[in-house]
Amino acid sequence: MRRVLLASLLIASAAVAGGASTLKEQLLAPPAGARHFTISSTAGKHGDVWSWKLPDGRVAYRMSMSLRGWVTETDELVTLGGDQRPTAVAIRGYTDSGDATEDFSVDGTGTARWKTAVDAGSAPFAGKRYNTYGGPWLASEMDVDALVAAGDKGLDLLPTGHAAISIGQSVQIDGPGGKKTVKLAFIRGYGFSPSPVWLDADNRFFGNAGTISLLPAGYESDGPKLKDIQDKATAAMVRDIAHRFLAPANRTPTLVDNVLLFDSVAGRYLPNRAVLISNGKVTAVGAAGTLKAPAGTTRLDGRGKTLLPGLWDSHQHVGGDWNLLQNVATGMTNYRSPGSDIDEALSIYKRRAAGDLLAPDGKVSVIIDRKDPLAAQGALTVSSAAEAIAAVRKIKAAGLWGVKFYTSMNPAWIAPAAAEAHRLGLHVHGHVPAGMRPLDAVRAGYDEVTHINFIMMQAMPQSVVDKANTAARLEGPAMYGKDVDLDSPMMKAFYAELAKRGTIIDPTLTVWEPLMTSDGSALSPEYAPFADAAPPSVVRGWRIGGYPLFGGLTRDDFRKSFDKMVALVGKLHQAGVRIVAGTDGYGLELVRELELYEVAGLTNVQALQTATIIPARMTGMADRVGSIVVGKTADIILVDGDVSKDLGNLRHVETVFLDGYRLNGAALREASGLTGMPK
C-alpha cells in the first residue's frame, strides 16, 4: 500500500534525498502525547513515525528514518469526509527515492485529483478510495481500517485497482501495558502476493512485522515473533501451490524437439536439437528427430523457441516465499543469496527439500557487520575481530555457503575473519567497508565484490571512501564517476590484479539504473516489460523520480556516471574478471541486467553465461546445474523466441523444468501474481 514501505521490505538498496523541495526543518513537529510508532529490525531502531489530530480535525503524520544512511523525512495531513474517506491528502518531504510531495483532493463536483512526483490524474471519487503513492508508513492504518469495514467486498481504489482483507489467527504478545491480543490479516490487491498486517483485538491497525517492522513504541521486541507467525501462515499458503505443481504427473519424461539449444559451457547456440528429460535428469541430447522417447513421454515442439539452462540471480536476498515462486515463474531455477537470516535460509532449504515450497535452489551467505547505527538490518553484528571470527564459525555451523562483510565493518577485522572463513571453506564477499578501497578488500581476503559502485570506489576521492557506509557510496560515484578515466594505468592495473586473483564481480547495474537515469516520466527498462502483467499499485510504485540531484549536478551528469558504471563492467570483463549477474531486487530485473552487459560490450553468449554456468561454478554446483548436459539435474527453461537474436526473449517463459518437474509457465505466472506474459 505505501510504496516506500513495500519497497523497503523487498529491496535492500535505496537512495537518500539530498535536495528536496521541503526541508526537514519545515516539516510538522509531533506534539507531546502524539501516538508513537518505531521502525526497527534485528539490527536496532531505524526511525520513528508519529500521528496526532489537529484542532481542525485533520489527522497528521510525521516520519523520520535513516536506514543504513538512506534518509526519509516526510509528513502528511489528511482531511476526512463524512464517510471517513480522505477527501484531501497533502504529503511533503523526501524519501529514499527523492521528492515526496503528493497532493490529493476532491472538488465540489465529486472529482478526485492527484499529483505526485511521478504521475497526475483525475477520476470520479464516488465509491472509491485514493491509494497514496508515498507518505509516512503509519498513514496506511486508515486504509487497513477501511478494508476491515468493507468486509468481503473490499474497496475500489484510485488511480486503479481493488483490494480486500482477510482476518486470521489471534496471538498474545507482551508490551508496555502487559499482554495484548493481536490478529494476523492478509491484504490482497496491493502487491503480487497477499501482504501481512497485524490488527488489534478490535480489528484496528496494530502494525507491520518483517525484516523491517513498524510497531507501536515499546513493542519492538515482538517484531521477530510476529514475523515468524506470519511467515508460517504464508508457508501454509504456498505449500498448497507447491503440492499442485510438484505432482508426479509433472515429472513424467519430456522430449523437447526441434529446438535452439544454448550450450553454456562452449558458449554457443546449437540449432535443431533434441533433449530428453526423465527422472529429474537430462538423459539424452542429440540432433532433432533422433531421440527415442519412452512410452508416456510428453513431447514439446521447440520450433521457434530456445532451450537454456535455468537462470541464476546471484544477488537475490531470499526469504519471501511468494517472491521465490515468482522467481521460478520468470525462469530462475537457481540463486545465490548474498545475505539472508540463518533460520529463514534453513527453513527454505528444509521446505523445498520436502516439496512444500516451490523455489529455486541455491546457496546462502550471511551478513556480518560492526555494531553501529548504520549496521545492515538482519546482520550478525560484532564488536571485535574475535566476535567477527565467532560469527564466521556460526555461519559454518549452520551449514551455509558464505560470509558477506558490510560497510560498517572495521577494516582491521576483515583479514582475520576472511582467513577463518577460507579455512572453513566459506566464500567471502561483500560491500567494501568504509575506509577501504575494493583492492584493499580483495587483498584482505574477498573472493568477490558486490555492487559496481564499490568497484568504482577504487577511483573515488578518499573523502568518499572514508564515508562509504553512508549515502556517499552512491553520491560519490554519481558525482565523480563521469570523470573517471577507465583506461588510466591505475585502473588497468586494478583490473589486472582482480583477474590474476580470480576475483568475481557482482555488478547489480539494475539497482543503479533507475536511481541515476530516471526522471519519473517513464518506467525503468527493467520493469517496463512487466507493466501490463503486474498489479496497478506495483506498477505505480515502479515509477521513481530518480536519485535527487545535488551539488549542482544535472540528471544528464548522473546518466553519464551510470554509463561509466556500465562501461566499467565491460573493462572488467575484457581484463578477464568473472562477472555474475544479480539484481538485488525482485528478480524480475535479471534480463535487463544481462541486456546492460551487452551494452557494456559482452556478447549475447557472454552475458548469458553470467547467469548460467559462471554462477554455477562460483557456488560449486556446476557438476549438477548451469548447463544442459546428460546426467545433470534438469533445471532448464524453454522460452518463446530466438534468444541468440534478443536476450529480451528470456522473459517469454513457456515451460520451466525445476528438478525435472515440468511446470507450465502461464500457470506459474498466475500463481505468482503476474496476469500474463511480459512484453
Side-chain angles (χ1 to χ4, degrees):
M1 40 188 28
R2 297 273 155 166
R3 183 196 63 82
V4 286
L5 177 55
L6 292 174
S8 296
L9 295 175
L10 288 169
I11 302 176
S13 301
V16 57
S21 59
T22 304
L23 300 176
K24 176 180 178 180
E25 293 75 19
Q26 297 172 316
L27 298 176
L28 296 170
R35 293 169 60 232
H36 182 202
F37 282 59
T38 64
I39 300 163
S40 64
S41 74
T42 55
K45 179 182 167 185
H46 305 292
D48 303 271
V49 191
W50 297 268
S51 174
W52 65 98
K53 185 169 285 189
L54 299 179
D56 61 8
R58 288 181 297 171
V59 181
Y61 294 92
R62 175 73 170 89
M63 176 173 169
S64 178
M65 179 178 72
S66 177
L67 185 61
R68 295 180 288 116
W70 309 136
V71 175
T72 291
E73 298 286 352
T74 57
D75 67 14
E76 180 170 344
L77 283 174
V78 181
T79 302
L80 297 174
D83 59 1
Q84 295 303 294
R85 281 187 301 162
T87 56
V89 177
I91 297 170
R92 303 181 301 166
Y94 48 95
T95 76
D96 53 4
S97 297
D99 184 6
T101 301
E102 180 173 359
D103 289 292
F104 167 81
S105 62
V106 180
D107 65 21
T109 68
T111 299
R113 291 182 170 82
W114 59 90
K115 181 175 175 53
T116 74
V118 298
D119 65 2
S122 64
F125 185 54
K128 297 184 178 181
R129 186 179 186 90
Y130 179 64
N131 177 29
T132 61
Y133 171 79
W137 295 354
L138 182 57
S140 65
E141 65 180 350
M142 294 186 176
D143 303 320
V144 173
D145 293 344
L147 287 167
V148 171
D152 293 341
K153 67 179 182 293
L155 295 171
D156 289 328
L157 305 174
L158 290 174
T160 185
H162 183 87
I165 193 170
S166 57
I167 303 173
Q169 69 189 100
S170 298
V171 298
Q172 279 199 329
I173 58 175
D174 294 314
K179 292 193 177 298
K180 186 177 184 69
T181 298
V182 294
K183 302 177 184 179
L184 175 61
F186 283 93
I187 299 173
R188 288 173 169 80
Y190 287 107
F192 286 113
S193 60
S195 303
V197 63
W198 288 91
L199 311 177
D200 64 17
D202 297 320
N203 291 339
R204 307 273 299 179
F205 176 85
F206 176 74
N208 296 98
T211 303
I212 300 172
S213 296
L214 172 69
L215 294 168
Y219 287 91
E220 293 85 357
S221 63
D222 291 298
K225 175 183 177 180
L226 296 178
K227 180 180 183 299
D228 183 60
I229 293 169
Q230 70 192 32
D231 285 351
K232 285 182 170 63
T234 297
M237 296 183 207
V238 298
R239 182 176 60 235
D240 294 338
I241 294 174
H243 290 177
R244 173 159 54 92
F245 280 99
L246 302 178
N250 289 338
R251 213 168 192 251
T252 56
T254 305
L255 175 63
V256 185
D257 211 348
N258 298 296
V259 74
L260 178 66
L261 174 68
F262 177 60
D263 180 349
S264 62
V265 176
R268 59 184 178 174
Y269 289 91
L270 301 173
N272 304 316
R273 305 301 287 172
V275 175
L276 180 63
I277 297 166
S278 60
N279 298 317
K281 304 285 187 181
V282 177
T283 53
V285 179
T290 66
L291 299 186
K292 293 183 179 180
T297 295
T298 296
R299 295 173 180 269
L300 299 180
D301 185 359
R303 283 175 290 190
K305 301 170 185 177
T306 310
L307 193 70
L308 313 99
L311 300 179
W312 281 76
D313 186 338
S314 290
H315 202 120
Q316 176 73 305
H317 291 274
V318 298
D321 291 353
W322 291 106
N323 191 221
L324 288 167
L325 170 61
Q326 188 177 83
N327 294 155
V328 175
T330 53
M332 187 192 306
T333 61
N334 298 96
Y335 65 84
R336 190 280 306 275
S337 175
S340 293
D341 175 84
I342 291 176
D343 291 338
E344 286 183 356
L346 296 179
S347 172
I348 287 171
Y349 283 152
K350 180 179 179 181
R351 289 182 291 126
R352 187 183 188 279
D356 292 335
L357 176 64
L358 194 59
D361 188 19
K363 299 291 186 180
V364 171
S365 299
V366 178
I367 298 173
I368 301 174
D369 205 359
R370 180 170 58 91
K371 290 180 181 177
D372 187 271
L374 297 176
Q377 65 269 22
L380 298 178
T381 53
V382 299
S383 299
S384 65
E387 289 185 10
I389 291 171
V392 168
R393 292 171 179 164
K394 180 177 182 179
I395 294 166
K396 176 64 177 181
L400 299 181
W401 173 76
V403 299
K404 179 182 180 181
F405 297 121
Y406 221 71
T407 47
S408 289
M409 279 289 284
N410 185 329
W413 303 344
I414 297 297
E420 180 66 6
H422 287 149
R423 186 185 73 81
L424 296 173
L426 298 175
H427 184 80
V428 177
H429 61 137
H431 293 200
V432 178
M436 299 182 86
R437 296 181 188 271
L439 200 53
D440 298 327
V442 169
R443 289 170 176 170
Y446 274 35
D447 302 307
E448 175 193 2
V449 179
T450 58
H451 301 303
I452 195 64
N453 60 310
F454 286 113
I455 294 297
M456 190 65 85
M457 281 290 167
Q458 192 67 27
M460 292 295 101
Q462 191 64 38
S463 60
V464 173
V465 172
D466 288 341
K467 296 182 178 179
N469 61 336
T470 70
R473 63 180 178 267
L474 175 58
E475 289 192 351
M479 175 177 285
Y480 300 107
K482 60 184 174 56
D483 300 317
V484 172
D485 180 1
L486 298 180
D487 290 316
S488 69
M490 181 269 290
M491 292 300 284
K492 286 184 175 180
F494 171 48
Y495 312 146
E497 184 166 346
L498 294 180
K500 182 178 179 180
R501 291 176 175 271
T503 307
I504 301 166
I505 305 300
D506 164 25
T508 64
L509 289 172
T510 52
V511 169
W512 313 114
E513 183 177 30
L515 291 173
M516 297 183 71
T517 69
S518 177
D519 59 8
S521 61
L523 283 180
S524 172
E526 60 194 340
Y527 297 126
F530 298 92
D532 293 339
S537 293
V538 172
V539 177
R540 191 184 189 207
W542 283 338
R543 293 184 179 274
I544 66 169
Y547 195 95
L549 302 176
F550 64 91
L553 297 171
T554 66
R555 185 60 59 191
D556 188 55
D557 291 329
F558 275 35
R559 289 169 179 153
K560 289 177 180 177
S561 289
F562 177 72
D563 289 344
K564 278 291 179 72
M565 288 182 167
V566 175
L568 179 54
V569 172
K571 296 295 183 183
L572 291 164
H573 174 75
Q574 291 168 17
V577 178
R578 286 179 294 168
I579 307 294
V580 291
T583 68
D584 201 10
Y586 293 92
L588 298 177
E589 308 88 348
L590 183 59
V591 178
R592 177 58 181 170
E593 185 78 13
L594 302 185
E595 292 171 339
L596 286 170
Y597 294 171
E598 279 195 297
V599 175
L602 280 70
T603 66
N604 172 294
V605 163
Q606 291 167 341
L608 194 45
Q609 286 175 318
T610 70
T612 52
I613 191 62
I614 296 176
R617 289 169 175 161
M618 174 183 71
T619 57
M621 294 174 66
D623 61 331
R624 295 188 286 121
V625 297
S627 59
I628 301 176
V629 175
V630 172
K632 286 195 176 184
T633 300
D635 282 354
I636 297 170
I637 59 173
L638 178 66
V639 304
D640 186 24
D642 186 339
V643 176
S644 71
K645 295 179 180 177
D646 185 354
L647 287 172
N649 286 320
L650 289 168
R651 299 185 181 94
H652 304 153
V653 177
E654 286 208 349
T655 307
V656 177
F657 295 92
L658 185 68
D659 297 329
Y661 285 93
R662 183 183 57 255
L663 311 178
N664 179 271
L668 285 170
R669 284 187 290 275
E670 182 180 3
S672 71
L674 290 165
T675 59
M677 182 79 83
K679 290 184 177 179

